[in-house]
Amino acid sequence: MSHVQMVANRIGWPMRAANGDRGPLARYVIALLGGALCLVSLFSMAWGASDASLFAVLGDWFMSETDSRLSVHERIIIYEIRLPRTILGILTGAGLAIAGAVLQGLFRNPLADPGIIGVSAGAAFGAVSVIVWGGTVLAPLTYFLGLFALPVAAFAGALTATMVLYGIATRHGRTSVATMLLAGIALGALAAAFTGLMIFMADDRQLRDVTFWSLGSLAGATWSKIGTAGSIILTSLATMPFLARGLNGFALGESTAGHLGLPVQRVKYTAIITATAATGAAVAVSGGIAFVGIVVPHMLRLLIGPDHRYLLPASALLGAIMLLLADAVSRTIVAPAELPIGIVTATVGAPFFLWILLRKRGIVDL
Amino acid sequence: MISAKRISVRLGRSPILHDVDFAASPGRVTAIAGPNGSGKTTLLRALTGDVPFTGRVEINRRDLASLDAFELASMRAVLPQSANLSFPFTVREIVRLGLVGGRSGAAGGALETIIEEALIRVDLAGFAGRYYQELSGGEQQRVQLARVLCQVWRPVLDGVPRFLFLDEPVSSLDIRHQLVIMNIAREFAEAGGGVVAILHDLNLTAMYADQVAVVHRGRLAAAGEPRTVLTDDLLETVFECRLQVSVAPPSGGMFVLPQSAANSRTT
Ligand SMILES: Nc1ncnc2c1ncn2[C@@H]1O[C@H](COP(=O)(O)OP(=O)(O)OP(=O)(O)O)[C@@H](O)[C@H]1O
Ligand SMILES: [Mg+2]
């Protein structure tokens, strides 16, 4: 402890207090993450094939149009391409990380990730159904919902998967981890099979849409996508204060949460709807981006503890940061081509998942 | 006042409790005793509304079914027989959970002090910063008790008595801490609250309970004051072994009883 503690004291970093109160540390970390997100967003805006520099972008914000050093061309790149892309990255990253943290709180298990337990697969099935059947079977849906059809269908798919999974894996307020993971795999496979069937039935144009969508990229970011997915994700972020209290109570099991005076059913359904809405919206705009929901909350739990009042906002911030960084990597590593961002997150996330498993075998053998 | 009339519970297909009547008053420690699997936990879970039952349970003259989680949480706190925890919480964070729902009755600013005081009462002063999962079984059990105490910190709130439901609160404690915990229960009752505790230790039951209900094969075998209920005959039928009340073992047999320590300061 001593060395770490000394360094921590020197730089004024609040360690886990001897009295077990990690609130000050958590607030400090959240403030740092907020600052880091601002920096990373700026970086993400200035980063790319065109050489509009960071200073030029910053300058453009604070100077009048005539003084700006940016050309018209650069402004279009920044405001019509990079800004939407950055915002979409923030929304998706925050949404996926929150969804992960909420599902983990609900299932009382650090391995519950929308990508692993079939929730994203359900969302993907919903999304692909709209792409393929949007003009025929699901025409009324696309007619009434317009741009919202894709995220709503993805949400419906994710919701169905989660409800079924919760029904299977949770008995008498106790979640069996093995059942959760195995049932999640089965559900995911089933959803993938249905998705495959959809693709099999698709014509060439739909096939191209599906492929483009499933590559999981922020490249197609537009303001209208931000409007639809963003409103869903922001709504689910708004439930955080209510959920935070409830999920803390869930840590001791459903019945204890009830004894503590929490509205268990309401917490449960809010958690499921929040997590699936955020996953659905994120999947709808960006295809399958796995592992953000597992890596981010887990790292934060190690740092600031599992108190959801801090864990949820911190996850949103760190999720956004991670996704912007992953996007930066995906844009540059094979430039001028782009690697699908899902590949980047999976390359980092999958070994991380294995690492948690190896370190904490106990949680799987419950 | 807790009163339960004709409680029957089925879990799955099997009937677990049959027409059990039960009552517990404020100011009293009411014990529930009986062999393993006799239905004690199930009875407690019916009284706290955790299992579906037929019959009627009233808490402070109000029907259990008509109360919502928040109202219930401000009238009673529940210590389950076992608790498993999914994430690495510190002891302070666990005890603080007792304050998330109901009404502790303490002034807003005093909440963090209650946590410390509750830990001192269960003899865990200085444990607030430890990780719950790194504590021994008995220490974990006392942390849970501290959490439960926080939830109903004042035994009487707005003139309404509050209740502690404890499922085997001393099952994994050493003898001194058994007395510490039973004394907390005693004090809670003396301050006007009510305590319902499942106890396996008949000796502790005799020492601390004002009332005892003996459950046997899903039925109420007897209820009343320990002195009248715990007889040789009843114990033999219920526990199926020849027990004798207040009979010292034949000369030379050794026995250790906590009575001499019970009323001394144990903390
Ligand atoms: N969820 C369940 N489904 C079916 N039967 C159950 C369930 N829970 C308990 N039982 C059965 O109900 C009976 C009573 O169980 P209960 O937990 O109330 O016993 P207990 O008196 O608390 O025992 P112990 O002293 O071991 O804690 C037992 O026979 C048990 O097998
Ligand atoms: Mg029991």
Side-chain angles (χ1 to χ4, degrees), chain A residues 16 18-22 104 108 245 251-252 256 259-262 301 306, chain B residues 50 73 78 84 86 88-90 92-93 97 100-102 128-129 131 151:
Chain A
R16 174 165 67 91
N19 67 7
D21 188 1
R22 289 181 280 192
Q104 285 146 28
R108 313 186 337 110
R245 224 170 57 104
L252 291 166
T256 300
H259 297 152
L260 291 171
L262 297 166
R301 257 185 235 109
Chain B
D50 287 319
V78 184
N84 67 334
S86 38
F89 282 93
T90 62
R92 171 182 297 270
E93 288 162 347
L97 286 179
V100 303
Y131 282 110
Q151 188 182 332

PDB file of all heavy atoms in Angstrom, chain A residues 16 18-22 104 108 245 251-252 256 259-262 301 306, chain B residues 50 73 78 84 86 88-90 92-93 97 100-102 128-129 131 151:
ATOM      1  N   ARG A  16      -9.095   4.831  -1.931  1.00  0.00           N
ATOM      2  CA  ARG A  16     -10.221   4.267  -1.197  1.00  0.00           C
ATOM      3  C   ARG A  16      -9.998   4.587   0.270  1.00  0.00           C
ATOM      4  O   ARG A  16      -9.020   4.147   0.866  1.00  0.00           O
ATOM      5  CB  ARG A  16     -10.272   2.759  -1.403  1.00  0.00           C
ATOM      6  CG  ARG A  16     -11.332   2.080  -0.565  1.00  0.00           C
ATOM      7  CD  ARG A  16     -11.578   0.687  -1.073  1.00  0.00           C
ATOM      8  NE  ARG A  16     -10.414  -0.166  -0.873  1.00  0.00           N
ATOM      9  CZ  ARG A  16     -10.226  -0.898   0.213  1.00  0.00           C
ATOM     10  NH1 ARG A  16     -11.101  -0.866   1.179  1.00  0.00           N
ATOM     11  NH2 ARG A  16      -9.167  -1.652   0.328  1.00  0.00           N
ATOM     12  N   ALA A  18      -9.963   4.822   4.242  1.00  0.00           N
ATOM     13  CA  ALA A  18      -9.914   3.759   5.243  1.00  0.00           C
ATOM     14  C   ALA A  18     -11.299   3.482   5.798  1.00  0.00           C
ATOM     15  O   ALA A  18     -11.577   2.408   6.281  1.00  0.00           O
ATOM     16  CB  ALA A  18      -8.968   4.149   6.359  1.00  0.00           C
ATOM     17  N   ASN A  19     -12.193   4.470   5.697  1.00  0.00           N
ATOM     18  CA  ASN A  19     -13.530   4.246   6.244  1.00  0.00           C
ATOM     19  C   ASN A  19     -14.487   3.645   5.218  1.00  0.00           C
ATOM     20  O   ASN A  19     -15.672   3.559   5.456  1.00  0.00           O
ATOM     21  CB  ASN A  19     -14.101   5.554   6.809  1.00  0.00           C
ATOM     22  CG  ASN A  19     -14.359   6.573   5.723  1.00  0.00           C
ATOM     23  OD1 ASN A  19     -14.242   6.271   4.530  1.00  0.00           O
ATOM     24  ND2 ASN A  19     -14.722   7.778   6.109  1.00  0.00           N
ATOM     25  N   GLY A  20     -13.938   3.221   4.073  1.00  0.00           N
ATOM     26  CA  GLY A  20     -14.766   2.501   3.110  1.00  0.00           C
ATOM     27  C   GLY A  20     -15.657   3.377   2.256  1.00  0.00           C
ATOM     28  O   GLY A  20     -16.483   2.878   1.504  1.00  0.00           O
ATOM     29  N   ASP A  21     -15.502   4.688   2.344  1.00  0.00           N
ATOM     30  CA  ASP A  21     -16.344   5.583   1.562  1.00  0.00           C
ATOM     31  C   ASP A  21     -15.614   5.956   0.276  1.00  0.00           C
ATOM     32  O   ASP A  21     -14.644   6.705   0.303  1.00  0.00           O
ATOM     33  CB  ASP A  21     -16.662   6.827   2.388  1.00  0.00           C
ATOM     34  CG  ASP A  21     -17.698   7.693   1.692  1.00  0.00           C
ATOM     35  OD1 ASP A  21     -18.154   7.306   0.606  1.00  0.00           O
ATOM     36  OD2 ASP A  21     -18.052   8.750   2.247  1.00  0.00           O
ATOM     37  N   ARG A  22     -16.090   5.408  -0.845  1.00  0.00           N
ATOM     38  CA  ARG A  22     -15.396   5.683  -2.098  1.00  0.00           C
ATOM     39  C   ARG A  22     -16.049   6.808  -2.881  1.00  0.00           C
ATOM     40  O   ARG A  22     -15.703   7.051  -4.032  1.00  0.00           O
ATOM     41  CB  ARG A  22     -15.329   4.403  -2.933  1.00  0.00           C
ATOM     42  CG  ARG A  22     -14.363   3.402  -2.329  1.00  0.00           C
ATOM     43  CD  ARG A  22     -14.266   2.153  -3.155  1.00  0.00           C
ATOM     44  NE  ARG A  22     -15.387   1.246  -2.905  1.00  0.00           N
ATOM     45  CZ  ARG A  22     -15.427  -0.015  -3.329  1.00  0.00           C
ATOM     46  NH1 ARG A  22     -14.443  -0.502  -4.034  1.00  0.00           N
ATOM     47  NH2 ARG A  22     -16.451  -0.784  -3.058  1.00  0.00           N
ATOM     48  N   GLN A 104     -25.477  -5.918 -15.961  1.00  0.00           N
ATOM     49  CA  GLN A 104     -24.670  -6.589 -14.954  1.00  0.00           C
ATOM     50  C   GLN A 104     -25.263  -6.389 -13.564  1.00  0.00           C
ATOM     51  O   GLN A 104     -25.289  -7.308 -12.744  1.00  0.00           O
ATOM     52  CB  GLN A 104     -23.230  -6.064 -15.015  1.00  0.00           C
ATOM     53  CG  GLN A 104     -22.489  -6.612 -16.217  1.00  0.00           C
ATOM     54  CD  GLN A 104     -21.497  -5.634 -16.804  1.00  0.00           C
ATOM     55  OE1 GLN A 104     -20.970  -4.776 -16.101  1.00  0.00           O
ATOM     56  NE2 GLN A 104     -21.244  -5.762 -18.091  1.00  0.00           N
ATOM     57  N   ARG A 108     -26.760  -9.350 -11.594  1.00  0.00           N
ATOM     58  CA  ARG A 108     -25.818  -9.461 -10.484  1.00  0.00           C
ATOM     59  C   ARG A 108     -24.569 -10.208 -10.901  1.00  0.00           C
ATOM     60  O   ARG A 108     -24.063 -11.073 -10.202  1.00  0.00           O
ATOM     61  CB  ARG A 108     -26.473 -10.177  -9.284  1.00  0.00           C
ATOM     62  CG  ARG A 108     -27.831  -9.601  -9.003  1.00  0.00           C
ATOM     63  CD  ARG A 108     -28.569 -10.062  -7.791  1.00  0.00           C
ATOM     64  NE  ARG A 108     -28.252 -11.322  -7.222  1.00  0.00           N
ATOM     65  CZ  ARG A 108     -27.638 -11.473  -6.058  1.00  0.00           C
ATOM     66  NH1 ARG A 108     -27.270 -10.426  -5.383  1.00  0.00           N
ATOM     67  NH2 ARG A 108     -27.401 -12.647  -5.585  1.00  0.00           N
ATOM     68  N   ARG A 245     -30.057   3.735  -7.579  1.00  0.00           N
ATOM     69  CA  ARG A 245     -30.491   3.364  -6.247  1.00  0.00           C
ATOM     70  C   ARG A 245     -31.019   1.925  -6.233  1.00  0.00           C
ATOM     71  O   ARG A 245     -30.665   1.120  -5.382  1.00  0.00           O
ATOM     72  CB  ARG A 245     -31.623   4.315  -5.836  1.00  0.00           C
ATOM     73  CG  ARG A 245     -31.560   4.852  -4.438  1.00  0.00           C
ATOM     74  CD  ARG A 245     -32.605   5.950  -4.314  1.00  0.00           C
ATOM     75  NE  ARG A 245     -33.934   5.459  -4.647  1.00  0.00           N
ATOM     76  CZ  ARG A 245     -34.874   5.187  -3.734  1.00  0.00           C
ATOM     77  NH1 ARG A 245     -34.625   5.361  -2.467  1.00  0.00           N
ATOM     78  NH2 ARG A 245     -36.057   4.746  -4.106  1.00  0.00           N
ATOM     79  N   ALA A 251     -27.922  -5.716  -5.428  1.00  0.00           N
ATOM     80  CA  ALA A 251     -26.662  -6.419  -5.188  1.00  0.00           C
ATOM     81  C   ALA A 251     -26.833  -7.518  -4.156  1.00  0.00           C
ATOM     82  O   ALA A 251     -26.101  -8.500  -4.159  1.00  0.00           O
ATOM     83  CB  ALA A 251     -25.587  -5.433  -4.734  1.00  0.00           C
ATOM     84  N   LEU A 252     -27.799  -7.367  -3.252  1.00  0.00           N
ATOM     85  CA  LEU A 252     -28.019  -8.392  -2.233  1.00  0.00           C
ATOM     86  C   LEU A 252     -29.165  -9.328  -2.608  1.00  0.00           C
ATOM     87  O   LEU A 252     -29.647 -10.084  -1.777  1.00  0.00           O
ATOM     88  CB  LEU A 252     -28.321  -7.731  -0.892  1.00  0.00           C
ATOM     89  CG  LEU A 252     -27.150  -6.997  -0.240  1.00  0.00           C
ATOM     90  CD1 LEU A 252     -27.628  -6.103   0.879  1.00  0.00           C
ATOM     91  CD2 LEU A 252     -26.141  -7.997   0.285  1.00  0.00           C
ATOM     92  N   THR A 256     -34.073  -9.065  -0.909  1.00  0.00           N
ATOM     93  CA  THR A 256     -33.519  -8.050  -0.008  1.00  0.00           C
ATOM     94  C   THR A 256     -33.789  -6.650  -0.550  1.00  0.00           C
ATOM     95  O   THR A 256     -34.109  -5.733   0.210  1.00  0.00           O
ATOM     96  CB  THR A 256     -32.013  -8.263   0.193  1.00  0.00           C
ATOM     97  OG1 THR A 256     -31.819  -9.550   0.764  1.00  0.00           O
ATOM     98  CG2 THR A 256     -31.431  -7.231   1.128  1.00  0.00           C
ATOM     99  N   HIS A 259     -37.067  -5.807   0.642  1.00  0.00           N
ATOM    100  CA  HIS A 259     -37.075  -5.501   2.080  1.00  0.00           C
ATOM    101  C   HIS A 259     -36.550  -4.105   2.354  1.00  0.00           C
ATOM    102  O   HIS A 259     -36.939  -3.460   3.313  1.00  0.00           O
ATOM    103  CB  HIS A 259     -36.204  -6.503   2.845  1.00  0.00           C
ATOM    104  CG  HIS A 259     -36.694  -7.905   2.749  1.00  0.00           C
ATOM    105  ND1 HIS A 259     -35.864  -8.993   2.849  1.00  0.00           N
ATOM    106  CD2 HIS A 259     -37.933  -8.395   2.537  1.00  0.00           C
ATOM    107  CE1 HIS A 259     -36.577 -10.092   2.711  1.00  0.00           C
ATOM    108  NE2 HIS A 259     -37.826  -9.755   2.520  1.00  0.00           N
ATOM    109  N   LEU A 260     -35.626  -3.661   1.501  1.00  0.00           N
ATOM    110  CA  LEU A 260     -35.041  -2.337   1.706  1.00  0.00           C
ATOM    111  C   LEU A 260     -36.015  -1.231   1.314  1.00  0.00           C
ATOM    112  O   LEU A 260     -35.729  -0.056   1.503  1.00  0.00           O
ATOM    113  CB  LEU A 260     -33.761  -2.190   0.888  1.00  0.00           C
ATOM    114  CG  LEU A 260     -32.577  -3.045   1.352  1.00  0.00           C
ATOM    115  CD1 LEU A 260     -31.448  -2.990   0.350  1.00  0.00           C
ATOM    116  CD2 LEU A 260     -32.089  -2.586   2.709  1.00  0.00           C
ATOM    117  N   GLY A 261     -37.133  -1.615   0.717  1.00  0.00           N
ATOM    118  CA  GLY A 261     -38.133  -0.615   0.370  1.00  0.00           C
ATOM    119  C   GLY A 261     -38.063  -0.163  -1.074  1.00  0.00           C
ATOM    120  O   GLY A 261     -38.638   0.852  -1.443  1.00  0.00           O
ATOM    121  N   LEU A 262     -37.341  -0.925  -1.907  1.00  0.00           N
ATOM    122  CA  LEU A 262     -37.245  -0.535  -3.311  1.00  0.00           C
ATOM    123  C   LEU A 262     -38.375  -1.186  -4.106  1.00  0.00           C
ATOM    124  O   LEU A 262     -38.749  -2.323  -3.830  1.00  0.00           O
ATOM    125  CB  LEU A 262     -35.895  -0.974  -3.872  1.00  0.00           C
ATOM    126  CG  LEU A 262     -34.705  -0.309  -3.194  1.00  0.00           C
ATOM    127  CD1 LEU A 262     -33.418  -1.028  -3.538  1.00  0.00           C
ATOM    128  CD2 LEU A 262     -34.631   1.148  -3.617  1.00  0.00           C
ATOM    129  N   ARG A 301     -15.401  -0.617 -11.931  1.00  0.00           N
ATOM    130  CA  ARG A 301     -15.674  -1.246 -10.638  1.00  0.00           C
ATOM    131  C   ARG A 301     -14.392  -1.486  -9.871  1.00  0.00           C
ATOM    132  O   ARG A 301     -14.350  -1.358  -8.654  1.00  0.00           O
ATOM    133  CB  ARG A 301     -16.413  -2.563 -10.834  1.00  0.00           C
ATOM    134  CG  ARG A 301     -17.877  -2.446 -10.523  1.00  0.00           C
ATOM    135  CD  ARG A 301     -18.564  -3.782 -10.606  1.00  0.00           C
ATOM    136  NE  ARG A 301     -19.665  -3.674 -11.520  1.00  0.00           N
ATOM    137  CZ  ARG A 301     -19.713  -4.221 -12.711  1.00  0.00           C
ATOM    138  NH1 ARG A 301     -18.727  -4.973 -13.130  1.00  0.00           N
ATOM    139  NH2 ARG A 301     -20.749  -4.021 -13.472  1.00  0.00           N
ATOM    140  N   PRO A 306     -18.533  -0.692  -6.956  1.00  0.00           N
ATOM    141  CA  PRO A 306     -19.751  -1.027  -7.694  1.00  0.00           C
ATOM    142  C   PRO A 306     -20.959  -0.145  -7.391  1.00  0.00           C
ATOM    143  O   PRO A 306     -22.041  -0.447  -7.869  1.00  0.00           O
ATOM    144  CB  PRO A 306     -20.026  -2.470  -7.248  1.00  0.00           C
ATOM    145  CG  PRO A 306     -19.339  -2.616  -5.934  1.00  0.00           C
ATOM    146  CD  PRO A 306     -18.317  -1.544  -5.788  1.00  0.00           C
TER     147      PRO A 306
ATOM    148  N   ASP B  50     -42.648 -12.476   1.192  1.00  0.00           N
ATOM    149  CA  ASP B  50     -41.759 -12.935   0.126  1.00  0.00           C
ATOM    150  C   ASP B  50     -42.251 -14.174  -0.599  1.00  0.00           C
ATOM    151  O   ASP B  50     -41.763 -14.484  -1.670  1.00  0.00           O
ATOM    152  CB  ASP B  50     -40.364 -13.242   0.686  1.00  0.00           C
ATOM    153  CG  ASP B  50     -39.624 -11.980   1.035  1.00  0.00           C
ATOM    154  OD1 ASP B  50     -39.719 -11.025   0.260  1.00  0.00           O
ATOM    155  OD2 ASP B  50     -38.969 -11.953   2.085  1.00  0.00           O
ATOM    156  N   ALA B  73     -40.971  -1.264   4.317  1.00  0.00           N
ATOM    157  CA  ALA B  73     -39.574  -1.077   4.714  1.00  0.00           C
ATOM    158  C   ALA B  73     -39.454  -0.110   5.873  1.00  0.00           C
ATOM    159  O   ALA B  73     -38.487  -0.169   6.629  1.00  0.00           O
ATOM    160  CB  ALA B  73     -38.760  -0.586   3.526  1.00  0.00           C
ATOM    161  N   VAL B  78     -35.458  -6.926   7.480  1.00  0.00           N
ATOM    162  CA  VAL B  78     -35.362  -8.381   7.407  1.00  0.00           C
ATOM    163  C   VAL B  78     -33.916  -8.820   7.225  1.00  0.00           C
ATOM    164  O   VAL B  78     -33.219  -8.339   6.335  1.00  0.00           O
ATOM    165  CB  VAL B  78     -36.187  -8.916   6.211  1.00  0.00           C
ATOM    166  CG1 VAL B  78     -36.177 -10.438   6.197  1.00  0.00           C
ATOM    167  CG2 VAL B  78     -37.608  -8.383   6.265  1.00  0.00           C
ATOM    168  N   ASN B  84     -25.722 -13.678  -0.616  1.00  0.00           N
ATOM    169  CA  ASN B  84     -24.494 -13.692  -1.407  1.00  0.00           C
ATOM    170  C   ASN B  84     -24.429 -12.421  -2.230  1.00  0.00           C
ATOM    171  O   ASN B  84     -25.433 -11.856  -2.634  1.00  0.00           O
ATOM    172  CB  ASN B  84     -24.391 -14.944  -2.271  1.00  0.00           C
ATOM    173  CG  ASN B  84     -25.439 -14.962  -3.342  1.00  0.00           C
ATOM    174  OD1 ASN B  84     -26.489 -14.358  -3.186  1.00  0.00           O
ATOM    175  ND2 ASN B  84     -25.172 -15.645  -4.431  1.00  0.00           N
ATOM    176  N   SER B  86     -22.700  -9.942  -5.236  1.00  0.00           N
ATOM    177  CA  SER B  86     -22.133 -10.126  -6.564  1.00  0.00           C
ATOM    178  C   SER B  86     -20.936  -9.232  -6.847  1.00  0.00           C
ATOM    179  O   SER B  86     -20.102  -9.568  -7.665  1.00  0.00           O
ATOM    180  CB  SER B  86     -23.225  -9.880  -7.593  1.00  0.00           C
ATOM    181  OG  SER B  86     -24.038  -8.814  -7.182  1.00  0.00           O
ATOM    182  N   PRO B  88     -17.764  -6.302  -5.510  1.00  0.00           N
ATOM    183  CA  PRO B  88     -16.896  -6.009  -4.370  1.00  0.00           C
ATOM    184  C   PRO B  88     -17.269  -4.725  -3.626  1.00  0.00           C
ATOM    185  O   PRO B  88     -16.655  -3.692  -3.810  1.00  0.00           O
ATOM    186  CB  PRO B  88     -15.508  -5.883  -5.010  1.00  0.00           C
ATOM    187  CG  PRO B  88     -15.786  -5.426  -6.400  1.00  0.00           C
ATOM    188  CD  PRO B  88     -17.066  -6.083  -6.802  1.00  0.00           C
ATOM    189  N   PHE B  89     -18.271  -4.810  -2.777  1.00  0.00           N
ATOM    190  CA  PHE B  89     -18.652  -3.666  -1.956  1.00  0.00           C
ATOM    191  C   PHE B  89     -17.790  -3.612  -0.696  1.00  0.00           C
ATOM    192  O   PHE B  89     -17.352  -4.644  -0.198  1.00  0.00           O
ATOM    193  CB  PHE B  89     -20.111  -3.790  -1.526  1.00  0.00           C
ATOM    194  CG  PHE B  89     -21.098  -3.423  -2.601  1.00  0.00           C
ATOM    195  CD1 PHE B  89     -21.623  -4.390  -3.434  1.00  0.00           C
ATOM    196  CD2 PHE B  89     -21.508  -2.115  -2.770  1.00  0.00           C
ATOM    197  CE1 PHE B  89     -22.535  -4.068  -4.420  1.00  0.00           C
ATOM    198  CE2 PHE B  89     -22.424  -1.778  -3.745  1.00  0.00           C
ATOM    199  CZ  PHE B  89     -22.935  -2.748  -4.578  1.00  0.00           C
ATOM    200  N   THR B  90     -17.587  -2.422  -0.181  1.00  0.00           N
ATOM    201  CA  THR B  90     -16.953  -2.316   1.132  1.00  0.00           C
ATOM    202  C   THR B  90     -18.042  -2.464   2.201  1.00  0.00           C
ATOM    203  O   THR B  90     -19.231  -2.352   1.909  1.00  0.00           O
ATOM    204  CB  THR B  90     -16.263  -0.951   1.332  1.00  0.00           C
ATOM    205  OG1 THR B  90     -17.252   0.076   1.261  1.00  0.00           O
ATOM    206  CG2 THR B  90     -15.204  -0.699   0.276  1.00  0.00           C
ATOM    207  N   ARG B  92     -18.837  -0.490   4.580  1.00  0.00           N
ATOM    208  CA  ARG B  92     -19.641   0.718   4.713  1.00  0.00           C
ATOM    209  C   ARG B  92     -20.730   0.783   3.642  1.00  0.00           C
ATOM    210  O   ARG B  92     -21.875   1.137   3.920  1.00  0.00           O
ATOM    211  CB  ARG B  92     -18.761   1.973   4.600  1.00  0.00           C
ATOM    212  CG  ARG B  92     -19.564   3.278   4.511  1.00  0.00           C
ATOM    213  CD  ARG B  92     -18.653   4.470   4.358  1.00  0.00           C
ATOM    214  NE  ARG B  92     -17.807   4.588   5.526  1.00  0.00           N
ATOM    215  CZ  ARG B  92     -18.137   5.298   6.607  1.00  0.00           C
ATOM    216  NH1 ARG B  92     -19.274   5.947   6.652  1.00  0.00           N
ATOM    217  NH2 ARG B  92     -17.327   5.347   7.623  1.00  0.00           N
ATOM    218  N   GLU B  93     -20.357   0.408   2.414  1.00  0.00           N
ATOM    219  CA  GLU B  93     -21.347   0.478   1.333  1.00  0.00           C
ATOM    220  C   GLU B  93     -22.506  -0.488   1.572  1.00  0.00           C
ATOM    221  O   GLU B  93     -23.658  -0.179   1.256  1.00  0.00           O
ATOM    222  CB  GLU B  93     -20.667   0.207  -0.018  1.00  0.00           C
ATOM    223  CG  GLU B  93     -19.790   1.367  -0.473  1.00  0.00           C
ATOM    224  CD  GLU B  93     -18.782   1.003  -1.559  1.00  0.00           C
ATOM    225  OE1 GLU B  93     -18.563  -0.195  -1.815  1.00  0.00           O
ATOM    226  OE2 GLU B  93     -18.199   1.927  -2.144  1.00  0.00           O
ATOM    227  N   LEU B  97     -26.617   0.450   2.477  1.00  0.00           N
ATOM    228  CA  LEU B  97     -27.792  -0.018   1.736  1.00  0.00           C
ATOM    229  C   LEU B  97     -29.034  -0.036   2.625  1.00  0.00           C
ATOM    230  O   LEU B  97     -30.152   0.102   2.142  1.00  0.00           O
ATOM    231  CB  LEU B  97     -27.551  -1.421   1.174  1.00  0.00           C
ATOM    232  CG  LEU B  97     -26.615  -1.520  -0.023  1.00  0.00           C
ATOM    233  CD1 LEU B  97     -26.460  -2.962  -0.444  1.00  0.00           C
ATOM    234  CD2 LEU B  97     -27.151  -0.682  -1.172  1.00  0.00           C
ATOM    235  N   VAL B 100     -31.186   3.019   1.944  1.00  0.00           N
ATOM    236  CA  VAL B 100     -31.657   3.464   0.623  1.00  0.00           C
ATOM    237  C   VAL B 100     -33.167   3.570   0.538  1.00  0.00           C
ATOM    238  O   VAL B 100     -33.688   4.422  -0.169  1.00  0.00           O
ATOM    239  CB  VAL B 100     -31.176   2.576  -0.564  1.00  0.00           C
ATOM    240  CG1 VAL B 100     -29.691   2.476  -0.602  1.00  0.00           C
ATOM    241  CG2 VAL B 100     -31.839   1.229  -0.552  1.00  0.00           C
ATOM    242  N   GLY B 101     -33.871   2.672   1.226  1.00  0.00           N
ATOM    243  CA  GLY B 101     -35.308   2.631   1.008  1.00  0.00           C
ATOM    244  C   GLY B 101     -36.112   3.291   2.099  1.00  0.00           C
ATOM    245  O   GLY B 101     -36.432   4.468   2.032  1.00  0.00           O
ATOM    246  N   GLY B 102     -36.390   2.535   3.151  1.00  0.00           N
ATOM    247  CA  GLY B 102     -37.304   2.978   4.212  1.00  0.00           C
ATOM    248  C   GLY B 102     -36.895   4.246   4.925  1.00  0.00           C
ATOM    249  O   GLY B 102     -36.320   5.146   4.338  1.00  0.00           O
ATOM    250  N   ALA B 128     -15.227  -0.675   8.531  1.00  0.00           N
ATOM    251  CA  ALA B 128     -15.976  -0.022   7.452  1.00  0.00           C
ATOM    252  C   ALA B 128     -15.238  -0.040   6.120  1.00  0.00           C
ATOM    253  O   ALA B 128     -15.846  -0.143   5.064  1.00  0.00           O
ATOM    254  CB  ALA B 128     -16.303   1.412   7.854  1.00  0.00           C
ATOM    255  N   GLY B 129     -13.906   0.025   6.166  1.00  0.00           N
ATOM    256  CA  GLY B 129     -13.153   0.113   4.920  1.00  0.00           C
ATOM    257  C   GLY B 129     -12.787  -1.239   4.320  1.00  0.00           C
ATOM    258  O   GLY B 129     -12.208  -1.300   3.242  1.00  0.00           O
ATOM    259  N   TYR B 131     -13.262  -4.960   2.495  1.00  0.00           N
ATOM    260  CA  TYR B 131     -14.160  -5.527   1.493  1.00  0.00           C
ATOM    261  C   TYR B 131     -15.013  -6.609   2.134  1.00  0.00           C
ATOM    262  O   TYR B 131     -14.500  -7.487   2.836  1.00  0.00           O
ATOM    263  CB  TYR B 131     -13.378  -6.125   0.329  1.00  0.00           C
ATOM    264  CG  TYR B 131     -12.885  -5.080  -0.628  1.00  0.00           C
ATOM    265  CD1 TYR B 131     -11.548  -4.793  -0.727  1.00  0.00           C
ATOM    266  CD2 TYR B 131     -13.788  -4.373  -1.408  1.00  0.00           C
ATOM    267  CE1 TYR B 131     -11.096  -3.813  -1.593  1.00  0.00           C
ATOM    268  CE2 TYR B 131     -13.345  -3.395  -2.279  1.00  0.00           C
ATOM    269  CZ  TYR B 131     -12.001  -3.122  -2.372  1.00  0.00           C
ATOM    270  OH  TYR B 131     -11.577  -2.157  -3.221  1.00  0.00           O
ATOM    271  N   GLN B 151     -31.698   0.241   8.990  1.00  0.00           N
ATOM    272  CA  GLN B 151     -32.983   0.469   8.335  1.00  0.00           C
ATOM    273  C   GLN B 151     -34.069   0.853   9.340  1.00  0.00           C
ATOM    274  O   GLN B 151     -34.948   1.656   9.029  1.00  0.00           O
ATOM    275  CB  GLN B 151     -33.384  -0.793   7.553  1.00  0.00           C
ATOM    276  CG  GLN B 151     -34.606  -0.567   6.688  1.00  0.00           C
ATOM    277  CD  GLN B 151     -35.011  -1.827   5.960  1.00  0.00           C
ATOM    278  OE1 GLN B 151     -34.189  -2.693   5.673  1.00  0.00           O
ATOM    279  NE2 GLN B 151     -36.287  -1.957   5.670  1.00  0.00           N
TER     280      GLN B 151
END
